[in-house]
Each structure stands twice: as structure tokens, then as C-alpha cells.
Amino acid sequence: MSYYRGKEGVRTIIENRNDNDKSWQLADDEKSNLLNEINRLNRELKKNMRELRITNSLLDKLTKASDAKDVLATSLADANIKQRAYTYMLLKSCSNIIILFDNDGRFVLSTDALMVSTNTPNFDYIKNLKYDEVFPKYFTVDGVEAFKAAFEKAVDSDDVIQFDAMVDFARTGHLRFYTIELRRAGSQMENNVISGVLAVMTDLTDFMHEKQRAEFASNAKSNFLATMSHEIRTPMNAIIGMTFIGKKAMSLERKDYCLNKIEDASQFLLGVINDILDMSKIEANKFELSPIEFNFEKMLRQTANVISFRADEKHQKFMIYIDEAIPRELVGDDQRLAQVITNLLSNAVKFTPEEGSITLTAQYLGEENGVCSVQISVADTGIGISRTQQAQLFKSFQQAESSTTRNFGGTGLGLAISKNIVEMMGGNIWIESELTKGAVFKFIFKAERGADEITQKAMDVMDWGTVSFMVIDDDPAILDYFKKIMSRFGKSCDTALNSDEALALVKINGAYDIYFIDWKMPGKNGIALTKELKSIKSDTRNNVVLMISSTEMSIIEDEAKKAGIDKFLSKPLFPSTIEAVINETFESVQHQTGDRQDNLAGLLAGYRILLAEDVKVNREIVETMLEPTYIGIDCAENGAEAVRIFRESPEKYDIIFMDIQMPEMDGYEAAHSIRSFDFPKAKTIPIIAMTANVFQEDIEKALASGMNAHIGKPLDYDEVIHKLKNYLGISLNEEFENVIPLFEMKIDGINVNSGIKRFGGKVDRYLKVLRSFAMELEIDDTPMKTAFSQENFKKTVAKIHTLKGVAGNMGATALFEALSEFEKTQIAGVLDGDLYESIWQRMKETKENILNATDTESNIEQRSEGNDDELYKLLNELLSALAIGEPSSCEGVIKTLLSKQWKSLSDCELDILDKIVSDYDYDKAFEMINKKLKAGQLLA
């Protein structure tokens, strides 16, 4: 029977005992012992329960720890897998060669860059091999020794050991430059220490090449800057020195000598600066082309004019041959093309000795999809260039030889700039040369065929009939070239190499109509031959002599004219100049001026121009020039007015002619404002710039402002017509090209026929405007000198620019050239009082020459002579009309005054009065007339 019931159980038994049952009765001491035992058992039970709970808790923790250990083991396994993957990726992806060697120098690990470099399939091929078993295949002997020494140091040192070696891992025979670093590497795993050597190999070959190129370029630029310093200082010293000498010089000859030297030095300095600016644009990728339609032969002729005088100074023979297949009109950047040709010709002249020869040949290579390819060759008999030097010719900041600049001058940039230009034109440039045997520079450029190409021959315009020609020149090449040119015109010509051959042909064939005679020939020169030819009488022959020479004609002009020379023709020869001089000689135009106007009549009817021009004379020139076409013309006197007129009626206008320099708003701003309008016509209407500034920068600025094209002043009639043709999209009769017959009127300093052409052949209209132009010229030098100050400098230069444009349009060539020269010197803000004085003198001479010539010119309408009484009455009537401001009455009186000649009122003064009244300046006209009348005079 178990007594383990606990204290409560025992107590219950005792309490529930039967008092009558004596067997359950215990002694008191037994009861006490029993209770003690029960209490002990209870305590022991509680202790066991506590231990059980602790044991269960430990068991639970042990279970969790076991589970965590399993998870950790799994994680470690995954981490090892990833670590091995990352290590593999590192070895595969690293571009540098990294190798881990053990302390014995055996390969342990390596990046795949080593496998790729050595073309080894995988690392197993070299694993556990020593470096001295592998590297001798790729390193030089010195390289292997250097690696061995560095490895041994790295094993016993904590320092990084670095050295350079030439290595050929690819085994191609081309060593590459490596820098190699070795350092000791170690790791402790459990109780074992693992150590080795880590080698890092970096290929610096490309970097070293770039470094060498950079150093070379830096040295080249340093040398270039030193050269440029010399190039700039040399002309500057000449300018400063000659200026000092010129100021001190007493004789005009000495001053002229100094001025000529200053001019030469200034031109040279300008060329240096232009080359540097162009190269800076190229370096900054801001060098751009501005293609326009241009006449190819005209461009070559203008370029040749710049070079020919230099060639003449060295007595060099300068020839130009143009393939007749080259289109007359091309689309491209003519100024940049001329820059390339000028550079090549300048070099040819510079490096060719005296009496040498220079030949430019333009050859047509063909056309593809409307794009023409033309090859230009410039050959000389100069010093030549070696093959070694040729390699440096077209590089920036380099020259074929440093002594070249010292001996011949120049920046050495010209050919580098030319190469850039030619490549932008879709071509290439090269040289064919041997030292001491001359050089031939060739380049090909591409350009579109121009829309204005004119294919008519001279015979379509000129009727030369049975005119006979002879060419006498001691150069066979000139004679052959003449024959080719004449064949273009459907004519043939006889040739002679000297005077004796020429006279023999004349004896056989009789006198010729036109002789082209070279001035310099062995034996009897051209002037002596001319005298003999002129002595041969012929009733049926014109017997005209045209002298051809590269010499400045002013040197032989007087002697040549006395000998009977009719006209001069400068070398090099061009088909157009030969054609023009023959046309001018015979003046045999098929269509007279009236026919020209009939051809133009009505062809532009229905179109309307908005003409923005602030100078009245220039407006009148354009209006007169285009009058036969019936085109409508609305005028605006400044840019702001042009913008307002166009904004109000945009659909009214088909084209805009925009002057550049105008008050209130210039042409650039006006064009930009028009283009900014949000209606369609503003975006599409052609805007043509008109300005006397025809530099490339001016053209680019006009195009950038939104204009479509550019017309230079003085206005060229044919250019204006062709611009209208292009941008109005109409087909004009090509008889526009017919020549207006020469007007036999001579005015010193005035190209009368040029002016008349701009007025469409209207002689009377031209002469009237010419007189008005003369009246506007300032002859009182006091206001001019007052204006010529720093405060009024900008206004003065603007006035000069405007006057230059008008002078050019009127054919006042002498004044135009003087004003152009002045404007060039003023661009930098340099005040030249002497030059300004000469401008005033030229204006005075121009005015006097025009007024004197037109006063007596028989072509001006003959007028009856009025008396002073009648004049006095008319002037008083004019005063009354002026006082009340009645335009029609004023116009009627002026018309009556202009219809007669007055003894007391010169035509010059009447023109002034007419202009003042036409400009509605009634106060000034009233004051002018009233002052004379009150003085008891008419107009003195």
C-alpha cells in the first residue's frame, strides 16, 4: 500500500478516519514524523519538477542549436559556391594580367587575360609550372632576369617591387611596354600559413604612344608659337620702323617707299592672323562652309589677279588652263575654294625662283547625281619637296622643315587649312614632287551644278562674221591655249612664235582684223611689231592690236598707246576676258538697248518686291533697273518700317531686298524679326541681303539672320536678275545677258557704262541721278573734319559705308576705291587724318568732274533758254507754294524750272533745289530762295 499521496491526501485521510477504528489511531509522535516525511517528499517533488523543466529547456535549446548548425552548414556551402563563382568571374573579367605564384614561383592562379594574351587554351596548361619555364617564350632575356630578381625580393620583403619590361605575349614580333608589380601575399587557414607572390602586369603601350604624341604635339605647338612670335614681330617691326622713318623723311619718294613697305608688312601680318584664326576654328570644330552659286571662271580670275603681280615681280611665267567641260556655274563655298587655290599659288610663287614657271590646270572629272568633280593642279618649277618632308606638309602646327619659315616666311598653316577645306568639300589633296625638281599640288573638290549655268557660246551673242585673228607669243603653250579658246567660239586663229613669223603670215594672208601680241618676245618686242603692223594699210580690215602681258600695263602704257595698241589683256588668260575684249573692240551687239527692254518687258508682271533701303539714290537705282520687268516695288526706308509693312500685308510680297546698314533697325535684325512671325509666309519668303560688305563673315551673318542670299554693292544687273529668277521660280529669257552698247562719254573717275547698265541702259535717267549724287557730295571740309573725331567715329564710318555703296552703284569707281580703302583702315578704330583728307579731296574731284561733264553733255535733253524776269517770277511762285505747303504746286513750278536753262541759275543749283523740294524739305528750300532774293540776286 503506497503512502505517497501528498500532504493534502494524508490530511484528508486523517480527517476522514473513523474515530471508532482504533487501527488508524497514531501516536502524536508518529503523526509528527509522518507529516515531516510528507513535507520532505513535497519539497523533493518540487525540486524534481524544476530540474525537469530545466532539462526540457536545455533539450529544446540543443534541438534548435542542432537545426541552426545544419542551416549554417548549408549557408556556408552556398557562400563557398558563390565565392568560387565570383573568383572565377574575377579571373575571367579582369583586363589586367594578375598572377598568383607560390613561394617557389609556380603558377597557382591567373586572370584569363594571360590566357588570351598568350593564346593559351586554359590555365591548366601552365598550372604548377614555374615562371622561368613559361616567361622566356614571351619576355626578352633582360626581362626574364628582371622578373627573377624582383620575384626573389618580393618573397622576402613586404615592399612592392616594380619594374618595366618589353613583352611579346602574342608572339607577333612586336614588343609591348608593360609595367610589372610584385608583392608578397599570405593567408592563415586553421593552423597553416599559406604565402606566395602576387604579380600585376599592366600594358601601357598605347598610353606611352599617346604620351609621345601629346609631347610631340606640345613641342610642335611650342615651336609653332615661337615661329609665330617671330612671324608677327617681323612685320610689326617693319611697320613700326618704317612708320618712324616715314615720319622723319622729307621727300615724297622716301615716304612712298616707307608706305609701300608698311603695306607689304601689313598684308603679310593679316595673312598670318587669318591663318591662325582659321586654324583655331578648325581646332574648335567651328570651321564651316557657306555654299552659294558662283561663276567658276570668275572666281579663278579674281584669284589669279591676287597672285599674278607677285609672279610678275619675280619674272615668273604664270599660266592657267580651264577645261571647257567644267560648268560655268557651280554651287559651293567659292571664297574657301579661292583660299585653297590662293595658298597653293602663293606657295608656288614663293618657292619658285625667278624666271621659273607656274601652271594652274582645272580639269573636269565627271558628274554623278548632279554633283561635279573638278581637279585643280598647281605645278611649279621650284625647289621641290623630299618624300620625308611631304609626310609633314598637311599636318597642323608643323612644317616640312623648320628652315622653310626662316628662308621663305609664312605660318606653315596654309596646307593644313587647305586640307581641311578640301575634305569638307568631299575631296582630297596631295602632292607629287621630288627635291630640286619642282612640285605639283593636286586636289579634287565636289560641287553641284549651278541653276544659272549659261551654255550659250559667244557666237550666240556676238556676230564676229569673218573676223580674222592672229596670236603672236614666244610661248608655244600660250598659242595652243589660244587655239582651244577660239575653238570654243567657233573660230580659228593663226599663230606665230615671233615677230618675223607674224610678218611673214601677214605678207601671205594680208592684214588680220585682230592681233593678240605678247609684249616681251626675243628680238623684236610687241610694241615694235605693232608699229609695223599698223603701217600696213587695209581698207577692209580693222587692224586692231590687243597687247597681252603679265607686266603691269602702267609701265608700258604710254609707249604702247603711241605705237597704236588698242587694248590691253593681262596674263593669265581666261576665255571670258578674251571674249569680252573682242566684244568691246567691235561693239557688234545684235540686240540694242531697246531690244533688251522688250525682252524684259512684262516678264515679272504680277510679282512684288519689298525694298528696304535707306538711301534714296539706291532705291531709285533698283527701281530704274527693274522698271522694264513691270515688277511692283514698295519701299521702306529702314528695317523697322520694312517689318511693319510686311507684317500688315505678308501675302502682298513675293521677295524682299534688304539693305544691311539702316537706321532704327538694321537688316539683320529686320530679317530675324520677319522670320520670327508665326504666319507661314514669314518663314518662306526669300530675303536677299544688299550690302557693300562682301566678306565671308558678312555673308555668314546674313544667312544666320534668316536671309537666303547676298548681293554685293555696287549692284550687278545680271546678278539681281538671276537672284529674282532663282527665288521667284520663273524662267527668264537668256537674252538678258546681251551687252548694252558702250556710251561714248568720258568722266574722270566714273565708269559711265557700268552705271548706265545698272539703269537698264537709260542714259538720261542715269545722268540725272548721277548729277543728284554729285550734289550730295560734301565739298566743305570743315564739317568733315568736325565729324572726324572719336566721339562721332561710328557715325562717320557708317556714313562712309553708305556713301561707298552709292558710289559703287553710280559707277564712281575712283571714289568707291578710296572709300573702300578708308573703310578697311577704320575697322580697327584707327583714325587716319591724312587718308580722311584724301577722301574729301576725292569727293571734291568727283563732284567737279561729274558736274562739268554733264553740264556740257550733248546727250542731256536740250532746253530753251529763259530770262531773269521769268526766273524771278517762277521763284516767287515757288515761295508761295512752299509757304502753304502745296506739293502739286511746288512740283509744277520745279518742272517748269527744269524745262529751261537759266543764266542766273546753274543746272547744279537747280538740281539741289529739285532734290530739297522732292524731299519735302520746304523750310530749307524757302530759306534758300528767300535769302538770294533778299540779297538782290537770283541764285548766284
Side-chain angles (χ1 to χ4, degrees), residues 658-705:
M658 183 76 72
D659 186 34
I660 295 301
Q661 291 196 4
M662 293 184 291
E664 295 190 37
M665 181 185 290
D666 64 25
Y668 299 128
E669 187 178 353
H672 184 268
S673 296
I674 289 174
R675 293 300 189 209
S676 65
F677 292 149
D678 58 359
F679 44 86
K681 191 64 175 285
K683 311 298 182 184
T684 59
I685 187 168
I687 304 177
I688 312 299
M690 300 189 304
T691 179
N693 287 344
V694 292
F695 296 110
Q696 183 63 32
E697 290 76 9
D698 301 303
I699 297 174
E700 291 174 356
K701 190 174 180 180
L703 298 176
S705 69

Side-chain angles (χ1 to χ4, degrees), residues 21-159:
D21 187 356
K22 298 297 183 179
S23 61
W24 285 95
Q25 293 181 357
L26 296 174
D28 292 337
D29 57 339
E30 289 178 341
K31 292 179 182 179
S32 176
N33 289 335
L34 180 60
L35 288 173
N36 289 336
E37 182 64 20
I38 290 171
N39 289 332
R40 185 189 66 79
L41 291 173
N42 281 332
R43 287 195 299 271
E44 187 175 347
L45 177 61
K46 289 179 180 179
K47 177 181 178 183
N48 291 336
M49 291 299 291
R50 286 195 302 270
E51 290 177 351
L52 178 61
R53 287 196 297 270
I54 292 172
T55 300
N56 288 336
S57 175
L58 289 173
L59 181 62
D60 183 57
K61 289 180 179 180
L62 289 173
T63 302
K64 291 181 178 179
S66 177
D67 292 342
K69 185 176 181 181
D70 293 340
V71 171
L72 179 60
T74 303
S75 298
L76 289 174
D78 292 342
N80 288 333
I81 293 173
K82 287 184 179 181
Q83 187 63 38
R84 287 195 296 273
Y86 285 135
T87 302
Y88 178 80
M89 289 169 59
L90 175 65
L91 297 176
K92 280 283 186 184
S93 305
C94 184
S95 59
N96 285 339
I97 296 176
I98 302 175
I99 307 171
L100 181 62
F101 299 92
D102 63 17
N103 288 333
D104 296 327
R106 300 181 185 278
F107 284 85
V108 177
L109 281 176
S110 173
T111 57
D112 274 17
L114 176 63
M115 310 301 111
V116 174
S117 299
T118 58
N119 197 27
T120 302
N122 57 64
F123 182 68
D124 290 338
Y125 278 79
I126 59 175
K127 187 176 181 180
N128 294 325
L129 293 178
K130 295 187 67 173
Y131 65 79
D132 54 8
E133 297 178 84
V134 176
F135 284 168
K137 300 178 184 178
Y138 311 109
F139 282 66
T140 63
V141 174
D142 291 341
V144 172
E145 291 299 322
F147 189 93
K148 179 179 180 182
F151 186 88
E152 291 174 353
K153 287 183 181 179
V155 170
D156 299 324
S157 172
D158 290 330
D159 297 333

Side-chain angles (χ1 to χ4, degrees), residues 435-676:
L435 201 60
T436 73
K437 294 184 179 181
V440 181
F441 280 89
K442 297 182 179 181
F443 73 89
I444 297 172
F445 74 93
K446 296 183 179 181
E448 295 181 7
R449 182 183 292 270
D452 282 344
E453 183 186 346
I454 298 170
T455 57
Q456 284 183 293
K457 304 289 186 183
M459 289 297 293
D460 295 331
V461 178
M462 304 298 300
D463 182 11
W464 291 346
T466 58
V467 176
S468 58
F469 301 90
M470 180 190 282
V471 183
I472 306 100
D473 197 299
D474 60 314
D475 187 347
I478 292 283
L479 302 181
D480 290 341
Y481 187 50
F482 244 106
K483 286 182 178 180
K484 291 179 181 179
I485 292 176
M486 296 306 295
S487 68
R488 297 189 193 183
F489 306 141
K491 301 294 290 183
S492 61
C493 65
D494 291 336
T495 60
L497 284 169
N498 52 55
S499 298
D500 293 337
E501 286 187 15
L503 292 172
L505 286 172
V506 171
K507 188 174 181 179
I508 296 172
N509 301 324
Y512 289 78
D513 293 303
I514 294 182
Y515 298 93
F516 291 92
I517 303 178
D518 185 32
W519 174 49
K520 288 185 177 180
M521 291 187 294
K524 192 177 298 181
N525 66 23
I527 293 178
L529 176 59
T530 299
K531 292 179 180 178
E532 289 198 37
L533 292 174
K534 286 291 185 176
S535 67
I536 300 174
K537 304 298 181 183
S538 176
D539 295 333
T540 60
R541 303 294 176 125
N542 292 294
N543 206 14
V544 173
V545 176
L546 305 175
M547 177 160 283
I548 54 178
S549 176
S550 58
T551 302
E552 175 58 45
M553 290 305 174
S554 61
I555 299 174
I556 59 173
E557 186 173 7
D558 292 339
E559 184 183 2
K561 286 185 176 179
K562 290 178 182 177
I565 301 294
D566 295 277
K567 290 183 181 295
F568 295 93
L569 192 60
S570 297
K571 293 181 180 179
L573 301 170
F574 293 88
S576 61
T577 54
I578 294 174
E579 174 191 348
V581 76
I582 295 173
N583 291 345
E584 290 175 9
T585 300
F586 281 94
E587 300 177 13
S588 54
V589 185
Q590 290 181 337
H591 305 287
Q592 297 303 314
T593 305
D595 297 329
R596 183 187 181 97
Q597 307 306 321
D598 291 341
N599 292 333
L600 290 168
L603 287 174
L604 299 181
Y607 293 96
R608 183 165 290 276
I609 293 177
L610 175 56
L611 173 63
E613 169 64 69
D614 62 310
V615 180
K616 182 181 178 182
V617 172
N618 288 340
R619 293 198 297 271
E620 189 167 358
I621 288 172
V622 175
E623 290 171 342
T624 305
M625 182 184 291
L626 299 178
E627 185 176 4
T629 68
Y630 296 173
I631 192 169
I633 301 177
D634 290 343
C635 297
E637 296 186 10
N638 56 65
E641 185 178 357
V643 172
R644 177 184 57 79
I645 292 173
F646 179 77
R647 183 176 59 242
E648 292 174 354
S649 304
E651 298 303 324
K652 182 180 180 180
Y653 300 102
D654 302 286
I655 193 170
I656 298 174
F657 278 12
M658 183 76 72
D659 186 34
I660 295 301
Q661 291 196 4
M662 293 184 291
E664 295 190 37
M665 181 185 290
D666 64 25
Y668 299 128
E669 187 178 353
H672 184 268
S673 296
I674 289 174
R675 293 300 189 209
S676 65

Side-chain angles (χ1 to χ4, degrees), residues 224-416:
F224 169 79
L225 290 175
T227 302
M228 288 307 98
S229 176
H230 171 77
E231 289 298 309
I232 292 173
R233 287 176 180 273
T234 299
M236 283 302 299
N237 288 337
I239 292 170
I240 295 170
M242 285 298 165
T243 301
F244 176 80
I245 296 172
K247 286 181 177 180
K248 299 293 183 181
M250 300 302 293
S251 66
L252 291 176
E253 292 79 6
R254 186 64 172 170
K255 287 183 181 290
D256 286 342
Y257 171 81
C258 292
L259 289 174
N260 289 333
K261 291 296 183 182
I262 291 171
E263 181 181 17
D264 292 342
S266 300
Q267 292 296 329
F268 180 85
L269 181 60
L270 182 62
V272 172
I273 294 171
N274 286 338
D275 280 351
I276 294 173
L277 291 176
D278 279 346
M279 184 53 67
S280 67
K281 287 183 179 179
I282 292 172
E283 294 278 303
N285 293 322
K286 292 183 179 180
F287 192 86
E288 297 179 351
L289 300 180
S290 300
I292 61 171
E293 185 169 307
F294 68 97
N295 183 290
F296 178 71
E297 184 183 319
K298 181 179 178 182
M299 180 275 298
L300 280 182
R301 186 169 63 251
Q302 292 172 340
T303 304
N305 289 340
V306 175
I307 299 299
S308 57
F309 84 95
R310 300 180 189 171
D312 182 56
E313 287 178 345
K314 297 180 70 173
H315 309 289
Q316 296 168 338
K317 183 174 68 175
F318 180 22
M319 292 293 300
I320 292 182
Y321 298 99
I322 305 175
D323 190 340
E324 62 179 311
I326 297 175
R328 173 172 169 169
E329 302 289 328
L330 295 173
V331 177
D333 192 327
D334 60 328
Q335 294 198 16
R336 291 303 185 187
L337 180 58
Q339 181 179 350
V340 176
I341 297 172
T342 300
N343 180 64
L344 297 183
L345 289 175
S346 296
N347 285 342
V349 172
K350 185 189 304 181
F351 299 117
T352 300
E354 292 195 3
E355 307 294 340
S357 64
I358 298 160
T359 305
L360 185 150
T361 304
Q363 181 183 357
Y364 185 66
L365 300 182
E367 180 178 346
E368 185 176 353
N369 299 325
V371 178
C372 304
S373 295
V374 179
Q375 177 175 296
I376 303 292
S377 303
V378 176
D380 63 61
T381 57
I383 61 175
I385 303 174
S386 68
R387 294 189 179 277
T388 302
Q389 294 170 344
Q390 291 176 26
Q392 306 297 324
L393 277 181
F394 300 101
K395 295 183 179 180
S396 304
F397 305 106
Q398 298 179 38
Q399 294 176 312
E401 189 178 6
S402 59
S403 62
T404 299
T405 296
R406 295 193 299 271
N407 295 333
F408 297 96
T411 64
L413 292 177
L415 291 176

